[in-house]
Structure formats: structure tokens, C-alpha cells
Amino acid sequence: MEETQRPCKRVVDSQTEQTYLMRPNYLNCYGNLFGGQLMGWIDEIASIVAMRHCEADITTAAIDNLNFKEGATVNDVVVLRGKITYVGRTSMEVRVDTYVESRHGIRKVINRAYVVMVAVDEHHHPIPVPGLIVESENDRAEWEGGEKRYRLRKQRRKEGF
Ligand SMILES: CCCCCCCCCCCCCCCC(=O)SCCNC(=O)CCNC(=O)[C@H](O)C(C)(C)COP(=O)(O)OP(=O)(O)OC[C@H]1O[C@@H](n2cnc3c(N)ncnc32)[C@H](O)[C@@H]1OP(=O)(O)O
């Protein structure tokens, strides 16, 4: 959240959207979007959001909550939207929502993932990231959820996984 000691940026400063027209090479053998392909896209957009926020190199520390609620097939339009929800000292949580979009622009959720990215220097050591300016009620709710997940991940690491 906002701190006087470090620079702060807004959620919108790094928000990113990426759109794909589904091609045969994105599909699995059943003709649906291949899960590994989607994971690669999620990791890529989360990386871009995090790099835009911290203006440095990043590495992926964790990906949570991959649920596939809808499929997508050839000629569908798939949209990924990524935004920062929470920042620690050197880590950033990015929420990535994936949708399949109809020809009329109606979006159905395929997946929601939370990705933890860590800013690193040239020696791959974690470095501090800018704080996050929480501007809306929505940003605040995301921040509070992110804070809980941050603590939970720390606890899980203490317990050994
Ligand atoms: C034709 C079709 C092709 C399709 C094709 C598809 C292919 C299918 C692709 C799938 C794609 C999947 C997505 C791969 C994504 C990668 O590529 S994962 C592999 C890349 N990542 C790595 O190698 C990272 C390895 N880990 C590390 O280098 C270190 O653990 C880290 C992350 C830099 C952390 O360093 P550390 O020494 O543990 O530092 P420490 O001070 O303890 O922690 C630093 C911060 O990280 C946080 N942190 C550390 N560990 C964790 C953790 N496990 N969880 C959360 N936060 C953590 C800490 O809380 C801390 O945050 P702050 O409190 O400062 O905010």
C-alpha cells in the first residue's frame, strides 16, 4: 500500500490485456485450448504486468488457483487481463483473468490465476518494488485478499511446501 519511503504506482499503470485468435497449434488432442499453452500465456502476461510495475527484471515465484471453467476452441477469441493486486517488499501478486469472447463481445470466464512475481537484480537477488496506490473500493478488496494470500503462502513455506 502507500508508503512515504518508496515510490508508489497505480494499478492502472501496469494493467495489461492480451488477445489471441485460437489457432490449431494452441489446442490439445480433444480440440480444446491446451492447458499448458494457457499457463504459458498467464505467466507471460503476469510477467509483463510485474515488469511494468517494478521497472526491473522479474522471476516467477508461485502460481495459484488454476481452474478451467470453460473451454475454447479453434476460431474463438481468448482474452487475458492482468493487474497488480498486492505488493510486498520485493514481491508482487498479479491477478490474471482469462475469458473466451463471443462474436458479440460477451465474455465467459475460463480461468482466474494469482501469480507471484519477484523483482530481481542482475545477480538474481530480490530487490524492492514500488508500493501500490489503492484508488478504489475494488482495489482495496483485491489488496486485502492479496494480503491474506501473502500470509498464507508464507505459512505454507514455513511448513515446508
Ligand atoms: C506448442 C505449445 C507450447 C506450450 C508451452 C507451454 C509450456 C507450459 C508453460 C507453463 C508455464 C508455467 C509458468 C512457469 C514459470 C516459470 O518459468 S517458473 C521458473 C522461474 N522461476 C524461478 O526459477 C524462480 C526460482 N526461485 C528463486 O529464484 C527464488 O526462490 C526467488 C523467487 C527469487 C525468491 O528468492 P529468495 O532467496 O527465496 O528470497 P526471499 O527474500 O526469501 O523472498 C523474496 C520474496 O519472494 C517471496 N517468495 C519467495 N518464495 C516464494 C514462493 N514460493 N511463493 C510466493 N512468494 C515467494 C517472499 O515472500 C519475498 O517477498 P517479499 O516479502 O519481499 O515481498
Side-chain angles (χ1 to χ4, degrees), residues 1-44:
M1 189 120 32
E2 269 184 272
E3 283 176 22
T4 46
Q5 300 91 329
R6 59 174 175 173
C8 288
K9 291 174 81 170
R10 298 171 305 159
V11 174
V12 290
D13 294 332
S14 56
Q15 205 162 284
T16 302
E17 183 167 306
Q18 186 71 265
T19 307
Y20 299 92
L21 181 61
M22 291 289 291
R23 296 203 301 255
N25 57 318
Y26 299 150
L27 306 181
N28 61 24
C29 53
Y30 303 108
N32 286 318
L33 172 58
F34 172 49
Q37 177 68 67
L38 179 57
M39 283 167 64
W41 286 343
I42 288 170
D43 190 55
E44 185 176 68

Side-chain angles (χ1 to χ4, degrees), residues 70-83:
E70 288 282 335
T73 192
V74 73
N75 259 338
D76 280 345
V77 172
V78 170
V79 183
L80 282 83
R81 301 187 69 190
K83 63 174 187 175

Side-chain angles (χ1 to χ4, degrees), residues 25 34 36-37 39-40 43 59-63 87-92 116 118 120 124 126 150 153-154 157:
N25 57 318
F34 172 49
Q37 177 68 67
M39 283 167 64
D43 190 55
T59 190
T60 309
I63 304 181
V87 299
R89 196 180 79 83
T90 65
S91 67
M92 298 154 279
V116 180
V118 177
V120 290
H124 205 85
Y150 175 85
R153 290 186 197 105
K154 267 214 155 139
R157 287 204 296 291

